[in-house]
Amino acid sequence: MTIGISIALILSSALMVLLVLLHKGKGGGLTDMFGGGFASSFGGSSVVERNLDRLTVITGVVWFVCIIALGLLLKP
Amino acid sequence: MLTALTRAFRTPDLRKKLLFTLGIIVIFRLGSVLPTPGVNTENARKALEAAQSSELSSIYGMVQLFSGGALLKLSVFALGIMPYITASIILQLLTVVIPRLEALKKEGQAGTAKITQYTRYLTIGLAVLQSTAFVALARSGQLFGTSANDLPILLNDDIFTVVVMVVTMTAGTAVIMWLGELITDRGVGNGMSILIFTQIIAVFPSELMNIFRQKGAFTFTIVMIVGIFMIAAVVFVEQAQRRIPVQYAKRMVGRRMYGGTSTYIPLKVNQAGIIPVIFASSLLYLPQLLVTLFANSQESNVVVEWIAQNFGSGDTPIYMATFFLLIVFFTYFYVSITFNPVEVADNMKKYGGFIPGIRPGRPTAEYLNYVLTRLTAPGSLYLGLISMVPIFALTLAGATQNFPFGGTSILIMVGVGLDTVKQIESQLQQRNYEGFLR
Protein backbone atom coordinates (compact mmCIF):
# COMPACT_ATOMS: atom_id res chain seq x y z
CA MET A 1 0.00 0.00 0.00
CA THR A 2 2.66 2.47 1.07
CA ILE A 3 4.90 1.51 -1.81
CA GLY A 4 2.02 1.78 -4.28
CA ILE A 5 1.17 5.30 -3.18
CA SER A 6 4.85 6.24 -3.14
CA ILE A 7 5.21 5.15 -6.73
CA ALA A 8 2.03 7.04 -7.63
CA LEU A 9 3.48 10.11 -5.92
CA ILE A 10 6.76 9.84 -7.82
CA LEU A 11 4.91 9.45 -11.11
CA SER A 12 2.56 12.35 -10.48
CA SER A 13 5.48 14.52 -9.34
CA ALA A 14 7.38 13.80 -12.53
CA LEU A 15 4.26 14.53 -14.58
CA MET A 16 3.72 17.75 -12.65
CA VAL A 17 7.24 19.00 -13.36
CA LEU A 18 6.83 18.12 -17.01
CA LEU A 19 3.46 19.85 -17.33
CA VAL A 20 4.67 23.00 -15.60
CA LEU A 21 7.69 23.15 -17.88
CA LEU A 22 5.41 22.77 -20.90
CA HIS A 23 3.61 25.98 -20.00
CA LYS A 24 4.74 29.14 -21.60
CA GLY A 25 6.69 31.07 -19.02
CA LYS A 26 4.77 34.13 -18.02
CA GLY A 27 6.71 35.03 -14.93
CA GLY A 28 8.87 37.36 -16.95
CA GLY A 29 11.81 36.59 -14.72
CA LEU A 30 13.32 39.02 -12.30
CA THR A 31 13.26 41.88 -14.74
CA ASP A 32 9.73 42.99 -14.07
CA MET A 33 9.78 41.71 -10.52
CA PHE A 34 9.73 44.42 -7.86
CA GLY A 35 9.08 47.77 -9.37
CA GLY A 36 9.28 46.94 -13.02
CA GLY A 37 6.19 48.79 -14.08
CA PHE A 38 3.14 47.03 -15.38
CA ALA A 39 3.29 43.55 -16.76
CA SER A 40 1.54 43.49 -20.06
CA SER A 41 -1.17 40.89 -20.26
CA PHE A 42 -1.15 38.89 -23.44
CA GLY A 43 -4.81 38.63 -24.31
CA GLY A 44 -6.65 35.35 -23.83
CA SER A 45 -4.84 32.06 -23.59
CA SER A 46 -4.82 29.67 -26.50
CA VAL A 47 -6.70 26.37 -26.61
CA VAL A 48 -3.49 24.42 -26.04
CA GLU A 49 -2.69 26.47 -22.99
CA ARG A 50 -6.21 26.06 -21.60
CA ASN A 51 -6.13 22.28 -22.00
CA LEU A 52 -2.67 22.26 -20.44
CA ASP A 53 -4.06 24.24 -17.52
CA ARG A 54 -6.82 21.69 -17.02
CA LEU A 55 -4.37 18.77 -17.16
CA THR A 56 -2.02 20.51 -14.73
CA VAL A 57 -4.80 21.16 -12.24
CA ILE A 58 -5.94 17.51 -12.40
CA THR A 59 -2.36 16.27 -11.93
CA GLY A 60 -1.93 18.74 -9.10
CA VAL A 61 -4.98 17.39 -7.29
CA VAL A 62 -3.76 13.80 -7.71
CA TRP A 63 -0.32 14.85 -6.46
CA PHE A 64 -1.81 16.58 -3.46
CA VAL A 65 -4.04 13.60 -2.58
CA CYS A 66 -1.03 11.27 -2.85
CA ILE A 67 0.98 13.44 -0.46
CA ILE A 68 -1.80 13.55 2.12
CA ALA A 69 -2.51 9.81 1.83
CA LEU A 70 1.16 8.92 2.17
CA GLY A 71 1.57 11.34 5.04
CA LEU A 72 -1.34 9.72 6.88
CA LEU A 73 -0.07 6.20 6.17
CA LEU A 74 3.44 6.98 7.38
CA LYS A 75 2.28 8.67 10.55
CA PRO A 76 4.30 7.32 13.46
CA MET B 1 -8.52 54.42 1.09
CA LEU B 2 -11.34 52.19 2.30
CA THR B 3 -13.78 53.50 -0.26
CA ALA B 4 -11.21 52.78 -2.94
CA LEU B 5 -10.92 49.25 -1.61
CA THR B 6 -14.67 48.67 -1.72
CA ARG B 7 -14.71 50.15 -5.19
CA ALA B 8 -11.97 47.71 -6.18
CA PHE B 9 -14.16 44.88 -4.97
CA ARG B 10 -17.20 46.25 -6.72
CA THR B 11 -15.49 46.23 -10.08
CA PRO B 12 -16.28 42.76 -11.44
CA ASP B 13 -13.08 41.83 -13.24
CA LEU B 14 -10.85 43.40 -10.62
CA ARG B 15 -12.72 41.49 -7.92
CA LYS B 16 -12.17 38.29 -9.87
CA LYS B 17 -8.46 39.02 -10.07
CA LEU B 18 -8.15 39.85 -6.38
CA LEU B 19 -10.03 36.73 -5.30
CA PHE B 20 -7.95 34.61 -7.66
CA THR B 21 -4.74 35.98 -6.13
CA LEU B 22 -6.02 35.35 -2.62
CA GLY B 23 -6.99 31.78 -3.56
CA ILE B 24 -3.51 31.07 -4.91
CA ILE B 25 -1.97 32.52 -1.76
CA VAL B 26 -4.14 30.20 0.37
CA ILE B 27 -3.02 27.16 -1.65
CA PHE B 28 0.57 28.32 -1.36
CA ARG B 29 0.40 28.68 2.43
CA LEU B 30 -1.34 25.32 2.72
CA GLY B 31 1.53 23.65 0.88
CA SER B 32 4.03 25.49 3.07
CA VAL B 33 2.72 23.86 6.24
CA LEU B 34 1.96 20.44 4.77
CA PRO B 35 4.87 18.18 5.73
CA THR B 36 6.55 16.07 3.07
CA PRO B 37 5.64 12.40 3.54
CA GLY B 38 8.42 10.64 5.39
CA VAL B 39 9.19 13.46 7.82
CA ASN B 40 8.76 12.77 11.48
CA THR B 41 6.86 15.98 12.19
CA GLU B 42 7.04 15.58 15.94
CA ASN B 43 10.82 15.28 15.96
CA ALA B 44 11.24 18.01 13.36
CA ARG B 45 9.28 20.40 15.53
CA LYS B 46 11.33 19.55 18.62
CA ALA B 47 14.60 19.92 16.73
CA LEU B 48 13.45 23.25 15.34
CA GLU B 49 12.71 24.54 18.81
CA ALA B 50 16.09 23.35 20.03
CA ALA B 51 17.83 24.98 17.09
CA GLN B 52 16.00 28.26 17.52
CA SER B 53 17.22 28.66 21.06
CA SER B 54 20.80 27.97 20.08
CA GLU B 55 23.24 30.14 18.19
CA LEU B 56 22.91 28.27 14.94
CA SER B 57 19.51 29.69 14.07
CA SER B 58 21.05 32.59 12.20
CA ILE B 59 22.68 30.38 9.59
CA TYR B 60 19.47 29.68 7.76
CA GLY B 61 17.96 33.09 8.49
CA MET B 62 17.85 34.22 4.91
CA VAL B 63 16.47 31.00 3.48
CA GLN B 64 14.06 30.69 6.36
CA LEU B 65 12.86 34.20 5.60
CA PHE B 66 12.26 33.50 1.92
CA SER B 67 10.57 30.20 2.61
CA GLY B 68 8.35 31.59 5.34
CA GLY B 69 9.45 29.02 7.89
CA ALA B 70 8.59 26.21 5.48
CA LEU B 71 12.15 25.02 5.01
CA LEU B 72 12.88 23.81 8.50
CA LYS B 73 9.46 22.20 8.70
CA LEU B 74 10.54 20.23 5.62
CA SER B 75 7.18 20.91 4.06
CA VAL B 76 6.19 20.16 0.48
CA PHE B 77 7.01 23.73 -0.55
CA ALA B 78 10.15 23.73 1.59
CA LEU B 79 12.40 25.19 -1.08
CA GLY B 80 10.01 28.04 -1.73
CA ILE B 81 10.98 30.46 -4.47
CA MET B 82 14.69 30.30 -3.68
CA PRO B 83 15.53 28.05 -6.66
CA TYR B 84 13.69 30.37 -9.04
CA ILE B 85 15.42 33.43 -7.64
CA THR B 86 18.82 31.75 -7.80
CA ALA B 87 18.16 30.62 -11.36
CA SER B 88 17.13 34.15 -12.36
CA ILE B 89 20.24 35.61 -10.79
CA ILE B 90 22.47 33.10 -12.56
CA LEU B 91 20.86 33.81 -15.93
CA GLN B 92 21.01 37.57 -15.39
CA LEU B 93 24.71 37.31 -14.67
CA LEU B 94 25.25 34.98 -17.60
CA THR B 95 23.63 37.37 -20.08
CA VAL B 96 26.64 39.60 -19.57
CA VAL B 97 29.10 36.77 -20.08
CA ILE B 98 27.60 34.60 -22.81
CA PRO B 99 27.12 36.33 -26.19
CA ARG B 100 24.26 34.06 -27.24
CA LEU B 101 22.16 35.04 -24.23
CA GLU B 102 22.97 38.69 -24.83
CA ALA B 103 21.77 38.35 -28.41
CA LEU B 104 18.57 36.72 -27.16
CA LYS B 105 17.98 39.56 -24.76
CA LYS B 106 18.35 42.14 -27.51
CA GLU B 107 15.81 40.28 -29.63
CA GLY B 108 12.97 41.69 -27.56
CA GLN B 109 9.89 39.80 -26.45
CA ALA B 110 10.64 36.48 -28.17
CA GLY B 111 14.17 36.42 -26.82
CA THR B 112 13.06 37.28 -23.32
CA ALA B 113 10.52 34.44 -23.45
CA LYS B 114 13.34 32.09 -24.38
CA ILE B 115 15.46 33.30 -21.47
CA THR B 116 12.48 32.81 -19.15
CA GLN B 117 12.18 29.27 -20.43
CA TYR B 118 15.86 28.62 -19.68
CA THR B 119 15.32 30.07 -16.21
CA ARG B 120 12.50 27.60 -15.65
CA TYR B 121 14.63 24.63 -16.68
CA LEU B 122 17.46 25.81 -14.47
CA THR B 123 15.01 26.23 -11.59
CA ILE B 124 14.06 22.56 -11.76
CA GLY B 125 17.73 21.58 -11.89
CA LEU B 126 18.53 23.69 -8.86
CA ALA B 127 15.46 22.35 -7.07
CA VAL B 128 16.71 18.78 -7.52
CA LEU B 129 20.13 19.79 -6.19
CA GLN B 130 18.84 21.73 -3.20
CA SER B 131 16.18 19.22 -2.19
CA THR B 132 18.75 16.43 -2.34
CA ALA B 133 21.11 18.48 -0.20
CA PHE B 134 18.45 19.29 2.39
CA VAL B 135 17.03 15.78 2.59
CA ALA B 136 20.56 14.41 2.94
CA LEU B 137 21.25 16.91 5.72
CA ALA B 138 18.00 15.99 7.44
CA ARG B 139 18.83 12.30 7.13
CA SER B 140 22.22 12.69 8.75
CA GLY B 141 20.71 14.96 11.39
CA GLN B 142 22.77 18.05 10.54
CA LEU B 143 19.95 20.20 9.24
CA PHE B 144 19.33 21.76 12.62
CA GLY B 145 22.96 21.95 13.63
CA THR B 146 24.63 19.78 16.17
CA SER B 147 22.23 20.44 19.00
CA ALA B 148 19.55 18.04 17.84
CA ASN B 149 21.55 15.11 16.67
CA ASP B 150 19.73 12.46 18.63
CA LEU B 151 16.28 12.90 17.08
CA PRO B 152 15.77 11.22 13.71
CA ILE B 153 14.04 13.66 11.39
CA LEU B 154 13.09 11.04 8.82
CA LEU B 155 10.76 8.20 9.67
CA ASN B 156 12.61 5.81 7.50
CA ASP B 157 16.26 5.85 6.48
CA ASP B 158 16.07 3.73 3.36
CA ILE B 159 16.85 5.16 -0.02
CA PHE B 160 13.31 4.82 -1.35
CA THR B 161 11.84 7.23 1.20
CA VAL B 162 14.62 9.70 0.46
CA VAL B 163 13.92 9.51 -3.27
CA VAL B 164 10.19 10.08 -2.69
CA MET B 165 10.95 13.13 -0.59
CA VAL B 166 13.37 14.63 -3.09
CA VAL B 167 10.95 14.09 -5.97
CA THR B 168 8.05 15.57 -4.00
CA MET B 169 10.00 18.69 -3.05
CA THR B 170 11.16 19.18 -6.63
CA ALA B 171 7.58 18.91 -7.87
CA GLY B 172 6.63 21.37 -5.09
CA THR B 173 9.08 23.90 -6.51
CA ALA B 174 7.58 23.43 -9.97
CA VAL B 175 4.11 23.99 -8.53
CA ILE B 176 5.27 27.20 -6.81
CA MET B 177 6.68 28.43 -10.09
CA TRP B 178 3.36 27.70 -11.79
CA LEU B 179 1.36 29.41 -9.03
CA GLY B 180 3.55 32.49 -9.39
CA GLU B 181 2.99 32.57 -13.12
CA LEU B 182 -0.74 32.16 -12.65
CA ILE B 183 -0.80 35.22 -10.39
CA THR B 184 1.20 37.24 -12.91
CA ASP B 185 -1.07 36.10 -15.69
CA ARG B 186 -4.53 36.28 -14.18
CA GLY B 187 -4.18 37.93 -10.81
CA VAL B 188 -2.85 41.19 -9.47
CA GLY B 189 0.81 42.14 -9.37
CA ASN B 190 3.89 40.08 -10.10
CA GLY B 191 3.43 36.49 -8.95
CA MET B 192 6.91 35.74 -7.69
CA SER B 193 7.18 38.91 -5.64
CA ILE B 194 3.70 38.39 -4.21
CA LEU B 195 4.72 34.91 -3.10
CA ILE B 196 7.87 36.23 -1.39
CA PHE B 197 5.72 38.92 0.19
CA THR B 198 3.32 36.27 1.51
CA GLN B 199 6.12 34.27 3.08
CA ILE B 200 7.59 37.28 4.82
CA ILE B 201 4.21 38.43 6.10
CA ALA B 202 3.55 34.88 7.31
CA VAL B 203 6.51 34.79 9.70
CA PHE B 204 6.15 38.44 10.70
CA PRO B 205 3.61 38.17 13.55
CA SER B 206 5.40 35.25 15.21
CA GLU B 207 8.71 37.11 15.13
CA LEU B 208 7.07 40.16 16.68
CA MET B 209 5.58 37.93 19.35
CA ASN B 210 9.03 36.47 19.96
CA ILE B 211 10.40 39.93 20.70
CA PHE B 212 7.46 40.69 22.94
CA ARG B 213 7.95 37.49 24.89
CA GLN B 214 11.72 37.63 25.15
CA LYS B 215 12.37 41.33 25.65
CA GLY B 216 9.22 42.66 27.25
CA ALA B 217 6.73 45.34 26.35
CA PHE B 218 9.15 48.29 26.42
CA THR B 219 11.53 46.98 23.76
CA PHE B 220 8.54 45.81 21.77
CA THR B 221 7.06 49.33 21.69
CA ILE B 222 10.38 50.85 20.67
CA VAL B 223 10.80 48.27 17.92
CA MET B 224 7.32 49.04 16.64
CA ILE B 225 7.93 52.81 16.60
CA VAL B 226 11.30 52.43 14.88
CA GLY B 227 9.72 50.05 12.42
CA ILE B 228 6.95 52.45 11.47
CA PHE B 229 9.45 55.25 10.94
CA MET B 230 11.56 52.96 8.81
CA ILE B 231 8.59 51.99 6.68
CA ALA B 232 7.80 55.66 6.15
CA ALA B 233 11.41 56.38 5.23
CA VAL B 234 11.55 53.47 2.80
CA VAL B 235 8.30 54.54 1.13
CA PHE B 236 9.70 58.06 0.84
CA VAL B 237 12.89 56.98 -0.88
CA GLU B 238 11.18 54.39 -3.06
CA GLN B 239 8.82 57.02 -4.44
CA ALA B 240 11.58 59.56 -5.00
CA GLN B 241 12.41 60.18 -8.62
CA ARG B 242 14.05 62.72 -10.82
CA ARG B 243 12.02 63.81 -13.78
CA ILE B 244 14.03 64.61 -16.84
CA PRO B 245 11.92 66.76 -19.17
CA VAL B 246 11.49 65.58 -22.72
CA GLN B 247 10.06 67.72 -25.48
CA TYR B 248 8.55 66.10 -28.54
CA ALA B 249 8.69 67.89 -31.83
CA LYS B 250 5.47 68.40 -33.76
CA ARG B 251 5.23 66.44 -36.94
CA MET B 252 2.61 65.75 -39.55
CA VAL B 253 1.81 62.20 -40.56
CA GLY B 254 -0.71 62.36 -43.37
CA ARG B 255 -3.30 64.84 -42.19
CA ARG B 256 -2.86 64.33 -38.51
CA MET B 257 -0.53 66.11 -36.18
CA TYR B 258 1.57 64.12 -33.74
CA GLY B 259 3.80 65.13 -30.88
CA GLY B 260 4.31 68.62 -29.66
CA THR B 261 3.87 67.40 -26.11
CA SER B 262 6.28 67.66 -23.26
CA THR B 263 6.67 64.74 -20.89
CA TYR B 264 9.42 63.47 -18.66
CA ILE B 265 11.52 60.38 -18.09
CA PRO B 266 11.19 59.37 -14.45
CA LEU B 267 14.50 58.19 -13.02
CA LYS B 268 14.00 56.66 -9.62
CA VAL B 269 16.59 57.19 -6.91
CA ASN B 270 16.49 53.49 -6.26
CA GLN B 271 16.10 52.30 -9.80
CA ALA B 272 17.21 48.76 -8.98
CA GLY B 273 14.54 47.99 -6.41
CA ILE B 274 15.47 45.32 -3.92
CA ILE B 275 17.16 42.97 -6.33
CA PRO B 276 20.68 43.99 -5.20
CA VAL B 277 19.84 43.02 -1.63
CA ILE B 278 18.52 39.66 -2.73
CA PHE B 279 21.56 39.08 -4.96
CA ALA B 280 23.99 39.99 -2.22
CA SER B 281 22.37 37.94 0.50
CA SER B 282 22.01 34.89 -1.71
CA LEU B 283 25.69 35.17 -2.63
CA LEU B 284 26.76 35.55 0.99
CA TYR B 285 24.66 32.57 1.89
CA LEU B 286 26.86 30.32 -0.26
CA PRO B 287 29.94 30.26 2.03
CA GLN B 288 27.71 29.38 4.97
CA LEU B 289 26.18 26.52 3.02
CA LEU B 290 29.65 25.26 2.08
CA VAL B 291 30.74 25.39 5.69
CA THR B 292 27.71 23.38 6.79
CA LEU B 293 28.49 20.77 4.18
CA PHE B 294 32.17 20.49 5.03
CA ALA B 295 32.17 21.29 8.73
CA ASN B 296 31.69 17.73 9.91
CA SER B 297 34.85 16.35 8.34
CA GLN B 298 37.24 15.44 11.12
CA GLU B 299 40.37 17.34 10.13
CA SER B 300 40.05 21.07 10.71
CA ASN B 301 40.65 23.12 7.63
CA VAL B 302 42.08 26.63 7.87
CA VAL B 303 39.87 27.99 5.11
CA VAL B 304 36.71 26.43 6.49
CA GLU B 305 37.46 27.76 9.93
CA TRP B 306 38.14 31.25 8.62
CA ILE B 307 34.88 31.25 6.69
CA ALA B 308 32.95 29.93 9.66
CA GLN B 309 34.43 32.63 11.85
CA ASN B 310 33.81 35.55 9.52
CA PHE B 311 30.74 34.52 7.54
CA GLY B 312 29.04 32.23 10.01
CA SER B 313 26.93 34.98 11.49
CA GLY B 314 25.90 38.39 10.26
CA ASP B 315 27.59 40.56 12.87
CA THR B 316 31.28 40.21 12.05
CA PRO B 317 32.94 43.29 10.50
CA ILE B 318 34.11 41.39 7.44
CA TYR B 319 30.62 40.09 6.74
CA MET B 320 29.09 43.52 7.13
CA ALA B 321 31.67 45.19 4.89
CA THR B 322 31.31 42.52 2.21
CA PHE B 323 27.54 42.74 2.35
CA PHE B 324 27.59 46.52 2.00
CA LEU B 325 30.07 46.52 -0.88
CA LEU B 326 28.22 43.75 -2.70
CA ILE B 327 24.96 45.68 -2.44
CA VAL B 328 26.53 48.85 -3.82
CA PHE B 329 28.13 46.88 -6.63
CA PHE B 330 24.94 45.02 -7.52
CA THR B 331 22.90 48.22 -7.49
CA TYR B 332 25.10 49.70 -10.20
CA PHE B 333 25.23 46.39 -12.01
CA TYR B 334 21.47 45.95 -12.04
CA VAL B 335 20.76 49.54 -13.04
CA SER B 336 23.15 49.16 -15.95
CA ILE B 337 21.29 45.99 -16.98
CA THR B 338 17.79 47.40 -16.78
CA PHE B 339 18.29 50.96 -18.01
CA ASN B 340 20.29 51.48 -21.14
CA PRO B 341 20.85 55.23 -21.78
CA VAL B 342 22.00 54.69 -25.37
CA GLU B 343 18.81 52.79 -26.19
CA VAL B 344 16.59 55.39 -24.53
CA ALA B 345 18.37 58.19 -26.36
CA ASP B 346 18.02 56.37 -29.67
CA ASN B 347 14.33 55.80 -29.11
CA MET B 348 13.81 59.44 -28.26
CA LYS B 349 15.62 60.52 -31.39
CA LYS B 350 13.50 58.19 -33.49
CA TYR B 351 10.25 59.76 -32.28
CA GLY B 352 11.48 63.29 -32.46
CA GLY B 353 12.02 63.86 -28.79
CA PHE B 354 14.81 65.74 -27.09
CA ILE B 355 15.83 66.98 -23.69
CA PRO B 356 15.74 70.80 -23.73
CA GLY B 357 19.25 72.18 -24.01
CA ILE B 358 20.88 68.90 -25.01
CA ARG B 359 21.41 67.63 -28.53
CA PRO B 360 19.76 64.33 -29.44
CA GLY B 361 21.85 61.22 -29.95
CA ARG B 362 25.12 60.70 -28.16
CA PRO B 363 25.09 63.82 -25.96
CA THR B 364 21.64 62.80 -24.68
CA ALA B 365 22.86 59.30 -23.85
CA GLU B 366 25.85 60.78 -22.05
CA TYR B 367 23.64 63.16 -20.12
CA LEU B 368 21.26 60.38 -19.09
CA ASN B 369 24.18 58.23 -18.04
CA TYR B 370 25.64 61.10 -16.01
CA VAL B 371 22.36 61.76 -14.19
CA LEU B 372 21.69 58.09 -13.61
CA THR B 373 25.14 57.40 -12.19
CA ARG B 374 24.91 60.31 -9.80
CA LEU B 375 21.36 59.37 -8.82
CA THR B 376 22.30 55.75 -8.16
CA ALA B 377 25.09 56.71 -5.76
CA PRO B 378 22.74 57.74 -2.91
CA GLY B 379 20.36 54.97 -3.98
CA SER B 380 22.97 52.29 -3.51
CA LEU B 381 24.14 53.75 -0.19
CA TYR B 382 20.53 53.82 0.97
CA LEU B 383 20.03 50.17 0.06
CA GLY B 384 23.23 49.22 1.84
CA LEU B 385 22.35 51.17 4.98
CA ILE B 386 18.81 49.81 5.14
CA SER B 387 20.07 46.26 4.95
CA MET B 388 22.54 47.03 7.73
CA VAL B 389 19.71 47.99 10.08
CA PRO B 390 19.14 44.57 11.63
CA ILE B 391 22.83 44.35 12.40
CA PHE B 392 22.81 47.76 14.09
CA ALA B 393 19.73 46.70 16.00
CA LEU B 394 21.60 43.62 17.08
CA THR B 395 24.39 45.61 18.67
CA LEU B 396 22.32 48.52 19.99
CA ALA B 397 19.18 46.96 21.37
CA GLY B 398 20.32 43.39 21.78
CA ALA B 399 17.58 42.21 19.45
CA THR B 400 17.85 38.88 17.69
CA GLN B 401 19.35 38.30 14.29
CA ASN B 402 15.91 37.75 12.81
CA PHE B 403 14.89 41.29 13.62
CA PRO B 404 11.45 41.53 12.06
CA PHE B 405 11.98 45.04 10.73
CA GLY B 406 15.17 43.84 9.13
CA GLY B 407 16.29 45.64 6.03
CA THR B 408 15.55 42.95 3.50
CA SER B 409 12.10 42.12 4.76
CA ILE B 410 11.09 45.78 5.04
CA LEU B 411 12.37 46.53 1.55
CA ILE B 412 10.52 43.57 0.10
CA MET B 413 7.30 44.34 1.96
CA VAL B 414 7.24 48.00 0.99
CA GLY B 415 8.47 47.42 -2.56
CA VAL B 416 5.99 44.69 -3.39
CA GLY B 417 3.17 46.43 -1.54
CA LEU B 418 3.66 49.71 -3.40
CA ASP B 419 3.92 47.94 -6.70
CA THR B 420 0.80 45.90 -6.23
CA VAL B 421 -1.23 48.88 -5.04
CA LYS B 422 -0.06 50.86 -8.05
CA GLN B 423 -1.17 48.10 -10.34
CA ILE B 424 -4.60 47.83 -8.73
CA GLU B 425 -4.86 51.57 -8.98
CA SER B 426 -4.05 51.65 -12.66
CA GLN B 427 -6.82 49.11 -13.20
CA LEU B 428 -9.22 51.18 -11.13
CA GLN B 429 -8.39 54.24 -13.14
CA GLN B 430 -9.59 52.55 -16.27
CA ARG B 431 -13.06 52.94 -14.82
CA ASN B 432 -12.92 56.01 -12.66
CA TYR B 433 -10.22 58.42 -11.78
CA GLU B 434 -9.76 58.06 -8.06
CA GLY B 435 -7.41 55.43 -6.73
CA PHE B 436 -5.54 54.71 -3.53
CA LEU B 437 -2.71 57.15 -3.92
CA ARG B 438 -3.60 60.75 -4.47
Side-chain angles (χ1 to χ4, degrees):
Chain A
M1 185 68 180
T2 317
I3 288 186
I5 293 184
S6 298
I7 289 173
L9 181 55
I10 290 181
L11 286 180
S12 58
S13 298
L15 197 61
M16 194 74 206
V17 172
L18 201 72
L19 284 174
V20 169
L21 284 184
L22 276 177
H23 277 276
K24 238 191 263 137
K26 280 174 188 150
L30 272 179
T31 324
D32 56 22
M33 208 166 154
F34 319 116
F38 318 115
S40 57
S41 48
F42 320 95
S45 45
S46 62
V47 180
V48 184
E49 196 81 349
R50 219 177 313 146
N51 282 336
L52 205 54
D53 272 353
R54 211 168 291 156
L55 260 179
T56 318
V57 168
I58 293 172
T59 317
V61 170
V62 171
W63 180 70
F64 200 69
V65 168
C66 279
I67 288 174
I68 290 182
L70 198 57
L72 287 179
L73 270 180
L74 286 178
K75 220 175 166 75
Chain B
M1 180 79 193
L2 270 181
T3 51
L5 200 65
T6 50
R7 211 176 310 127
F9 266 96
R10 234 176 254 147
T11 319
D13 66 327
L14 196 53
R15 176 178 58 218
K16 220 166 115 195
K17 282 183 173 178
L18 285 173
L19 288 180
F20 183 80
T21 312
L22 284 180
I24 295 272
I25 287 176
V26 168
I27 295 177
F28 180 55
R29 280 309 297 168
L30 196 69
S32 299
V33 291
L34 183 74
T36 312
V39 174
N40 191 331
T41 41
E42 195 70 13
N43 282 356
R45 198 175 49 79
K46 271 183 204 153
L48 182 59
E49 271 168 17
Q52 260 169 357
S53 53
S54 76
E55 292 287 301
L56 280 154
S57 59
S58 67
I59 289 186
Y60 289 106
M62 196 63 203
V63 176
Q64 183 77 327
L65 179 74
F66 280 149
S67 70
L71 174 71
L72 294 187
K73 272 185 209 140
L74 283 168
S75 65
V76 180
F77 288 168
L79 297 178
I81 27 224
M82 259 329 239
Y84 190 81
I85 292 178
T86 322
S88 307
I89 293 174
I90 291 176
L91 268 163
Q92 286 279 358
L93 291 177
L94 282 186
T95 39
V96 186
V97 184
I98 299 180
R100 187 179 138 64
L101 285 179
E102 206 183 342
L104 270 181
K105 204 182 147 210
K106 281 198 181 127
E107 241 169 56
Q109 193 130 32
T112 319
K114 202 113 190 216
I115 291 184
T116 310
Q117 205 60 27
Y118 290 154
T119 314
R120 287 151 58 83
Y121 296 147
L122 189 61
T123 307
I124 299 298
L126 286 177
V128 172
L129 273 183
Q130 285 190 14
S131 56
T132 314
F134 280 124
V135 173
L137 278 178
R139 188 179 173 215
S140 62
Q142 287 165 16
L143 184 57
F144 298 97
T146 44
S147 56
N149 247 343
D150 42 346
L151 295 170
I153 309 288
L154 302 193
L155 288 171
N156 209 334
D157 253 4
D158 63 355
I159 200 77
F160 188 62
T161 319
V162 172
V163 168
V164 169
M165 286 181 70
V166 169
V167 170
T168 311
M169 280 186 189
T170 310
T173 312
V175 172
I176 291 176
M177 200 159 74
W178 188 54
L179 292 181
E181 282 163 8
L182 278 181
I183 293 184
T184 312
D185 198 24
R186 283 181 221 165
V188 173
N190 178 293
M192 289 298 161
S193 34
I194 290 222
L195 292 186
I196 295 186
F197 182 73
T198 315
Q199 297 296 51
I200 287 173
I201 292 285
V203 287
F204 205 70
S206 72
E207 301 233 317
L208 276 184
M209 274 314 288
N210 263 348
I211 283 195
F212 186 72
R213 231 179 291 132
Q214 285 169 7
K215 307 279 176 196
F218 181 68
T219 319
F220 179 74
T221 326
I222 288 186
V223 164
M224 288 302 280
I225 292 171
V226 170
I228 287 169
F229 269 109
M230 271 189 57
I231 289 179
V234 169
V235 170
F236 184 72
V237 181
E238 290 291 324
Q239 297 281 59
Q241 58 187 19
R242 167 150 180 194
R243 297 176 170 176
I244 295 179
V246 178
Q247 185 77 38
Y248 278 94
K250 278 188 186 153
R251 58 190 183 130
M252 299 285 280
V253 177
R255 296 176 58 192
R256 293 177 62 184
M257 178 104 89
Y258 286 100
T261 51
S262 75
T263 69
Y264 55 84
I265 304 176
L267 289 182
K268 285 168 77 181
V269 171
N270 178 20
Q271 185 91 1
I274 48 170
I275 309 245
V277 182
I278 295 182
F279 274 31
S281 24
S282 335
L283 260 191
L284 275 183
Y285 166 69
L286 285 181
Q288 294 172 1
L289 191 70
L290 282 182
V291 166
T292 340
L293 289 180
F294 289 112
N296 63 319
S297 54
Q298 293 304 317
E299 74 270 30
S300 63
N301 190 326
V302 187
V303 180
V304 167
E305 239 167 58
W306 187 83
I307 290 177
Q309 239 166 36
N310 289 307
F311 289 96
S313 64
D315 49 358
T316 58
I318 293 189
Y319 182 94
M320 284 162 72
T322 321
F323 195 41
F324 192 83
L325 288 180
L326 272 180
I327 286 177
V328 172
F329 167 73
F330 275 128
T331 313
Y332 272 96
F333 176 77
Y334 200 71
V335 167
S336 75
I337 281 185
T338 48
F339 189 92
N340 186 355
V342 178
E343 215 177 287
V344 175
D346 278 354
N347 271 339
M348 262 162 51
K349 198 166 74 175
K350 219 181 279 170
Y351 293 104
F354 59 92
I355 300 170
I358 287 155
R359 290 158 62 102
R362 207 160 66 93
T364 305
E366 273 165 12
Y367 175 72
L368 282 178
N369 193 23
Y370 170 75
V371 172
L372 192 64
T373 314
R374 296 228 310 190
L375 208 55
T376 307
S380 61
L381 290 183
Y382 144 81
L383 271 184
L385 284 180
I386 287 277
S387 0
M388 286 288 135
V389 162
I391 297 162
F392 287 140
L394 190 74
T395 44
L396 287 180
T400 49
Q401 173 81 27
N402 302 329
F403 186 57
F405 286 110
T408 322
S409 43
I410 252 187
L411 279 173
I412 292 177
M413 280 194 303
V414 172
V416 177
L418 272 180
D419 225 42
T420 312
V421 168
K422 267 186 202 156
Q423 217 175 53
I424 296 176
E425 186 182 61
S426 80
Q427 300 223 352
L428 262 181
Q429 275 178 345
Q430 289 173 354
R431 284 158 200 281
N432 43 37
Y433 291 101
E434 273 179 41
F436 292 105
L437 306 163
R438 312 221 161 164

